[in-house]
């Protein structure tokens, strides 16, 4: 799919300024930037949650997974009920089996369907949110900071899941994060956003090893590392 | 709450047993005893047909309550529908309904009730409809406000993106999540309806003879109030008592829902034998325990010694007890938590730096800093101001004199965090406790703040206790790392051993699951199955055992003590 000349304005403030970006089918494109860079606004525009000018081509069905898995699942609805909301197009008799298939896809046991979100860990909730998004058979999945509310010990499992979904389902993913190390691990290519604009975009290795833009270089040098 | 419950329960009992017990007596006409005052036979007197007024008051309870219930039901249903409609209607319709509700809320309730009652016809039906109409706008407004807050939730956005129809979103997501406050409001509305109906009957707009409710009895008795006040007193007391009862109950329910009932059982912290402090340490804590009521113990027997000039990192996941450890060190454990320790020695002043910079948004930055010096050191206003500007300069705020004159919102997040560090430096702290000071900041700003902390330590010789969930950040800044899991220290090691020399399986897994710029992208990331036990669920053995690949039977049964593993390196693990 292609994003062409996408602009989002809030009054006189330009949150996303004339962004063009290509997301090839079956690839994960990372979007990095600091708070206020416009990356989350771009995600919401692509998902149809905020009005924008510009064109989106080749993305008929976009689904988004939110940052906070504690807020993105209805606390009064069972996991199965939440996931089944993506399946209203199916006859009700077939939904239960499909819910189980989706949960299996995100490596959760079918028994989770009868539980409430409060009974699950943050990582499990985020898997449920991904399963729900997959139920709508999206042509593009937008993942907005999906691991930043999670503890490190479960973050790895969710990142592995994102990669396996690309491999097994050929899913296209727009993966948004402020964490460059996470983006590098997950994505095939990276776009760097700064003050509403994409300042650099390219294959992951190129952006992380031979950054062309000063801002990318300053982001890279700020990544904390364990000294060996 | 209890009084309200008792009154309402008594009213319900009265409504059930009243008519069968005293019904005949209330209807018994006695022409020999008309319009009497209080007597032994008729404690509240009799009416113009000689009927006993006490019996009539007791019997009227059922009818009065039924009418109030009906009026409340009408008001609640109409109000909830009106309030919820804007969420489903197209924009224009939604705006119209919102405007209508706004206008109705502004219109006096009793006037609305009388207006409707007059149109609907005199009698119980008109009164109930009228009071229902008067209650509805309040309910509509409440529903609207609550629904608007739920409509902004991520799960509603998710449902919208999935193409779930509006009506279904309303029925499945919005209404269930706002039901609780609406139901609580019902009780109070019931009290209001009761009073309103009594008022209507009293005005002659309500129940008409031969039916009678408390309002009607009051209306009849009121004509005789100068001669025999007791005939009006009975129904008046009944109405007042019922109104108070329902309102008390409603208030109580709302309060109870808002916060969990303050626990009556107190938290108990162990009081181990006191020990002597290390005289050189700026912080020497032994067997620190933080406990909350109900056996919740988020910090368990933690020992930590910090010497001048040291930066010690305290790492753990959410729920590991690291922030409560910091709070205990700063003496800031919130009620009803209690702190117990065999030693809690602070070798001087302690400054705290939090995740969200703690500045008062209404005051200028310089003034807030100066206040510390004025209150603490008795400096004059001008001296304190000078020191504030000096400290703001020391944390590298550009143009410190101008920054001092700005309000917190005029500074960026990173600059605010610098200002808070400057505030800590207004005194001469021996220890700076920094609880996730960079978590809300961008990576590039985070790097600057870490550099600043290091610089402050080098210049002032004070020590830092740096709390973070991010082991990479801790590794970059600190000299020594303390790893917490489920309230206990599981490993304590010099930072240079962190990357390759960690011995506890949890520390090793934490490091392995953290991707960095050199992580092999062709292999899956490590992660730890399961989840950390909640502070109330920590068992006897090693708390990490259920998630540990190396765990044996011994790990589940017996907790490993923190033992020396190498120079300045201690581990709590049987298998390390």
């Amino acid at each position: 799919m292609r994003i062409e000349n996408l602009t989002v304005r809030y009054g006189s403030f330009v949150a996303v300024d004339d962004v063009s970006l290509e997301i090839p089918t079956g690839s994960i494109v990372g979007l990095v930037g600091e708070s206020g860079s416009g990356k989350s606004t771009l995600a919401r525009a692509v998902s149809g949650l905020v009005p924008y000018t510009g064109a989106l081509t080749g993305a008929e069905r976009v689904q988004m997974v939110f940052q906070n898995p504690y807020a993105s699942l209805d606390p009064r609805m069972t996991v199965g009920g939440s996931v089944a909301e993506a399946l209203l197009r199916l006859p009700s008799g077939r939904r239960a089996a499909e819910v189980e298939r989706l949960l299996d896809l995100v490596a959760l046991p079918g028994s989770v369907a009868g539980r409430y979100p409060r009974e699950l860990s943050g990582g499990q909730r985020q898997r449920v949110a991904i399963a729900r998004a997959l139920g709508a058979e999206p042509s593009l999945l937008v993942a907005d900071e999906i691991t930043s509310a999670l503890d490190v010990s479960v973050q790895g499992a969710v990142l592995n899941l994102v990669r396996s979904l690309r491999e097994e389902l050929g899913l296209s993913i727009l993966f948004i994060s402020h964490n460059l190390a996470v983006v590098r691990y997950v994505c095939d290519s990276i776009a760097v956003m700064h003050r509403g604009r994409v300042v650099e975009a390219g294959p992951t290795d190129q952006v992380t090893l031979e950054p062309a833009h000063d801002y990318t270089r300053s982001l890279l040098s700020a990544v904390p590392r364990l000294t060996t | 709450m209890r009084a309200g419950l008792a009154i309402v329960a008594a009213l319900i009992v009265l409504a059930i047993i009243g008519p069968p017990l005293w019904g005949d007596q209330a209807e018994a006409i006695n022409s020999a005893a008309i319009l009497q005052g209080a007597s032994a036979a008729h404690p509240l007197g009799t009416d113009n047909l000689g009927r006993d007024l006490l019996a009539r008051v007791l019997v009227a309870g059922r009818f009065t309550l039924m009418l109030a219930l009906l009026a409340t039901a009408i008001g609640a249903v109409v109000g909830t529908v009106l309030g919820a409609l804007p969420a489903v209607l197209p924009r224009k319709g939604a705006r119209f309904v919102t405007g209508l509700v706004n206008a109705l809320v502004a219109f006096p309730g009793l006037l609305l009730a009388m207006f409707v009652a007059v149109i609907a016809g005199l009698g119980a039906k008109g009164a109930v409809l009228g009071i229902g109409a008067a209650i509805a706008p309040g309910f509509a407004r409440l529903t609207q406000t609550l629904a608007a807050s739920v409509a902004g939730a991520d799960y509603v956005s998710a449902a919208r993106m999935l193409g779930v129809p509006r009506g279904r979103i309303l029925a499945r997501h919005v209404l269930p999540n706002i039901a609780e406050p609406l139901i609580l409001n019902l009780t109070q509305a019931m009290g209001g309806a009761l009073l309103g109906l009594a008022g209507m009957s009293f005005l002659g707009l309500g129940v008409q003879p031969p039916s009678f409710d408390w309002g009607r009895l009051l209306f009849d008795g009121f004509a005789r109030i100068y001669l025999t006040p007791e005939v009006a007193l009975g129904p008046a007391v009944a109405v007042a008592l019922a109104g108070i009862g329902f309102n008390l109950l409603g208030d109580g329910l709302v309060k109870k829902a808002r916060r969990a009932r303050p626990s009556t059982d107190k938290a108990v912290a162990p009081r181990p034998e006191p020990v002597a402090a290390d005289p050189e340490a700026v912080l020497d804590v032994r067997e620190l325990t933080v406990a909350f009521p109900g056996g919740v113990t988020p910090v368990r027997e933690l020992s930590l010694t910090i010497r001048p000039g040291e930066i010690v990192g305290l790492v753990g996941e959410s729920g590991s007890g690291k922030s409560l450890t910091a709070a205990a060190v700063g003496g800031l454990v919130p009620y009803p938590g209690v702190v117990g320790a065999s030693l809690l020695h602070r070798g001087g002043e302690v400054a705290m730096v939090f995740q969200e910079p703690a500045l008062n948004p209404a005051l200028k930055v310089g003034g807030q800093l100066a206040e510390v010096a004025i209150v603490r050191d008795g400096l004059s206003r001008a001296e304190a101001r000078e020191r504030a500007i000096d400290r703001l300069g020391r944390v590298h705020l550009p143009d410190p004199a101008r920054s001092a004159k700005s309000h917190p919102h005029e500074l960026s997040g990173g600059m605010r965090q610098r200002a808070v560090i400057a505030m800590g430096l207004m005194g001469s702290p021996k220890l700076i406790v920094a609880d996730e000071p960079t978590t809300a900041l961008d990576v590039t700003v985070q790097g600057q703040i870490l550099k600043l902390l290091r610089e402050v330590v080098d210049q002032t010789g004070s020590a830092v206790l740096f709390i973070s969930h991010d082991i990479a950040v801790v590794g970059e800044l600190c000299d020594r790392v303390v790893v917490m899991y489920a309230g206990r220290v599981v490993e304590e090691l010099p930072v240079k051993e962190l990357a390759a020399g960690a011995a506890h399986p949890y520390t090793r897994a934490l490091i392995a699951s953290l991707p960095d710029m050199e992580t092999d992208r062709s292999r899956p990331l490590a992660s730890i199955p399961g989840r950390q036990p909640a502070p109330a669920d920590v068992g006897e053995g090693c708390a990490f055992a259920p998630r540990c690949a190396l765990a044996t039977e011994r790990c589940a049964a017996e907790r490993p003590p923190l033992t020396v593993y190498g120079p300045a390196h201690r581990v709590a693990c049987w298998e390390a």
Side-chain angles (χ1 to χ4, degrees):
Chain A
M1 78 158 274
R2 288 176 68 83
I3 300 170
E4 277 169 82
N5 308 104
L6 189 142
T7 299
V8 180
R9 283 194 181 84
Y10 293 121
S12 62
F13 176 71
V14 184
V16 177
D17 188 2
D18 195 26
V19 165
S20 296
L21 193 63
E22 175 142 15
I23 303 165
T25 305
S27 76
I28 308 182
V29 175
L31 199 56
V32 283
E34 306 201 315
S35 52
S37 63
K39 56 187 193 307
S40 283
T41 307
L42 179 61
R44 295 184 91 86
V46 170
S47 311
L49 292 176
V50 297
Y52 59 89
T53 58
L56 295 176
T57 49
E60 296 77 29
R61 296 181 309 280
V62 182
Q63 284 301 317
M64 181 155 133
V65 180
F66 293 84
Q67 171 171 359
N68 187 350
Y70 295 86
S72 64
L73 296 176
D74 188 336
R76 308 259 169 174
M77 213 181 249
T78 60
V79 163
S82 280
V83 175
E85 291 230 296
L87 307 170
L88 295 180
R89 61 181 189 283
L90 298 181
S92 52
R94 277 178 47 204
R95 285 181 207 157
E98 182 65 7
V99 165
E100 193 162 336
R101 187 186 74 83
L102 290 167
L103 289 176
D104 183 56
L105 217 52
V106 297
L108 284 175
S111 60
V112 166
R115 311 252 289 270
Y116 283 90
R118 62 174 176 273
E119 301 171 59
L120 306 185
S121 70
Q124 288 174 317
R125 289 179 208 214
Q126 204 57 294
R127 287 161 189 270
V128 172
I130 293 172
R132 176 177 61 184
L134 293 178
E137 299 181 343
S139 50
L140 175 73
L141 188 71
V142 177
D144 186 9
E145 299 272 10
I146 57 168
T147 59
S148 52
L150 302 181
D151 276 321
V152 188
S153 68
V154 294
Q155 168 182 284
V158 172
L159 295 180
N160 290 337
L161 171 66
V162 169
R163 287 180 22 142
S164 75
L165 289 177
R166 192 265 314 267
E167 271 147 39
E168 286 166 25
L169 307 178
L171 198 61
S172 313
I173 300 172
L174 181 60
F175 187 91
I176 293 155
S177 176
H178 68 285
N179 187 330
L180 207 56
V182 166
V183 168
R184 175 191 164 275
Y185 179 73
V186 173
C187 301
D188 305 307
S189 63
I190 299 180
V192 183
M193 273 190 91
H194 184 49
R195 293 185 183 164
R197 292 176 162 272
V198 169
V199 295
E200 179 165 3
T204 299
D205 282 338
Q206 184 189 319
V207 173
T208 54
L209 297 176
E210 301 149 22
H213 196 277
D214 282 345
Y215 180 70
T216 313
R217 277 193 283 274
S218 75
L219 271 187
L220 280 167
S221 65
V223 175
R225 317 157 192 248
L226 288 179
T227 41
T228 38
Chain B
M1 169 88 189
R2 264 193 214 141
L5 200 63
I7 295 174
V8 171
L11 286 174
I12 292 171
V13 171
L14 178 68
I16 295 170
I17 65 166
L21 275 186
W22 299 291
D24 294 341
Q25 202 184 338
E27 300 289 350
I29 297 172
N30 180 359
S31 52
I34 58 168
L35 295 175
Q36 283 185 351
S39 66
H42 306 288
L44 290 178
T46 57
D47 68 358
N48 54 0
L49 292 175
R51 294 175 291 203
D52 180 56
L53 278 172
L54 178 62
R56 284 176 79 74
V57 168
L58 293 174
V59 170
R62 180 189 284 186
F63 192 46
T64 309
L65 287 181
M66 295 285 276
L67 291 183
L69 200 65
L70 205 59
T72 310
I74 291 171
V77 170
V78 172
T80 308
V81 169
L82 268 182
L85 267 181
V88 252
L89 287 178
R91 188 173 284 191
K92 263 192 183 166
R95 219 176 266 170
F96 174 76
V97 174
T98 310
L100 182 72
V101 169
N102 284 344
L104 287 178
V105 167
F107 200 76
L110 198 59
L111 275 184
L112 189 66
M114 288 163 69
F115 186 63
V116 173
V118 168
I119 292 178
L122 289 185
K125 190 182 86 180
V128 164
L129 282 177
I131 295 297
I135 293 175
F139 257 96
R141 170 52 65 80
L142 183 68
T143 308
Q144 233 173 47
T145 315
L146 293 169
S149 69
V150 172
D154 279 351
Y155 54 82
V156 173
S157 296
R160 272 169 55 201
M161 247 182 327
L162 292 171
V164 178
R166 280 163 175 274
R168 194 184 154 91
I169 289 183
L170 184 68
R172 299 290 309 270
H173 292 292
V174 178
L175 287 181
N177 280 294
I178 64 173
E180 195 176 313
L182 283 181
I183 290 169
L184 292 180
N185 199 44
L186 270 180
T187 324
Q188 276 172 321
M190 179 82 183
L194 216 132
L195 295 177
L197 279 167
M200 297 286 277
S201 290
F202 182 71
L203 291 171
L205 291 170
V207 175
Q208 302 296 326
S211 304
F212 58 101
D213 70 342
W214 288 336
R216 185 74 213 177
L217 292 176
L218 188 61
F219 176 68
D220 292 340
F222 198 69
R224 299 157 57 199
I225 196 157
Y226 293 113
L227 295 171
T228 49
E230 60 274 17
V231 298
L233 209 62
V237 166
V239 168
L241 204 63
I244 291 171
F246 278 105
N247 277 308
L248 276 182
L249 181 65
D251 271 351
L253 288 175
V254 168
K255 273 190 200 135
K256 195 174 171 186
R258 217 165 270 167
R259 57 180 163 74
R261 192 167 51 90
S263 179
T264 43
D265 56 330
K266 279 201 170 146
V268 205
R271 304 230 164 267
E273 285 295 298
V275 294
D278 179 343
E280 281 183 11
V282 294
L283 180 73
D284 198 353
V285 177
R286 307 277 171 83
E287 297 177 86
L288 173 77
T289 296
V290 180
F292 283 82
V296 179
T297 316
V299 180
R300 294 163 185 252
E301 294 163 27
L302 176 135
S303 295
L304 185 64
T305 307
I306 303 180
R307 296 199 170 71
E310 236 189 341
I311 305 185
V312 177
L314 192 58
V315 204
E317 296 179 276
S318 47
S320 63
K322 57 188 192 307
S323 284
L324 275 170
T325 303
V329 168
L332 297 173
V333 170
Y335 180 83
V338 291
V339 177
S342 56
L343 177 69
L344 181 49
H345 164 79
R346 305 174 188 98
E349 200 179 307
V350 177
M352 304 285 294
V353 179
F354 298 99
Q355 176 173 356
E356 290 297 330
L359 291 172
N360 184 336
L363 300 176
K364 285 177 182 166
V365 173
Q368 297 188 54
L369 264 66
E371 197 184 349
V372 180
I374 295 169
V375 174
R376 189 180 151 278
D377 299 336
L379 261 57
S380 75
R381 196 159 285 275
E383 286 168 332
R385 215 188 125 59
E386 205 171 297
R387 190 190 282 186
I389 293 174
D390 173 71
R391 298 301 193 270
L392 286 172
R394 250 210 248 170
V395 298
H396 306 299
L397 271 183
D399 197 351
R402 219 187 69 196
S403 301
K405 279 189 202 141
S406 10
H407 283 96
H409 70 90
E410 296 172 77
L411 305 179
S412 68
M415 282 176 17
R416 277 201 294 272
Q417 198 57 284
R418 281 171 191 272
V420 170
I421 295 173
M423 194 191 257
L425 296 178
M426 285 301 284
S428 36
K430 289 277 186 283
L431 175 68
I432 299 170
V433 178
D435 187 2
E436 303 266 8
T438 62
T439 305
L441 303 176
D442 286 324
V443 236
T444 48
V445 184
Q446 166 174 285
Q448 295 160 11
I449 297 287
L450 297 183
K451 216 172 111 191
L452 174 66
L453 279 174
R454 172 56 77 184
E455 197 182 300
V456 166
V457 168
D458 290 344
Q459 280 176 6
T460 64
S462 59
V464 175
L465 176 60
F466 185 91
I467 288 112
S468 180
H469 70 287
D470 190 335
I471 204 164
V473 171
V474 166
E476 192 157 279
L477 174 74
C478 302
D479 308 312
R480 191 146 61 85
V481 181
V482 177
V483 184
M484 279 185 84
Y485 186 80
R488 291 183 194 274
V489 173
V490 293
E491 183 160 17
E492 188 181 336
L493 71 171
V495 76
K496 59 180 188 301
E497 288 185 31
L498 191 56
H504 198 283
Y506 176 64
T507 316
R508 293 219 296 260
L510 264 190
I511 293 166
S513 56
L514 189 79
D516 63 19
M517 298 310 282
E518 282 83 40
T519 306
D520 184 352
R521 296 172 58 206
S522 60
R523 301 210 341 234
L525 266 182
S527 69
I528 313 176
R531 63 203 281 195
Q532 183 175 242
D537 306 336
V538 178
E540 282 298 301
C542 172
F544 187 61
R547 303 173 75 184
C548 184
L550 306 177
T552 60
E553 273 175 31
R554 188 185 188 191
C555 299
E558 201 181 337
R559 181 167 46 78
L562 196 61
T563 49
V564 174
Y565 182 78
H569 192 164
R570 296 193 297 164
V571 179
C573 180
W574 294 123
E575 302 297 317

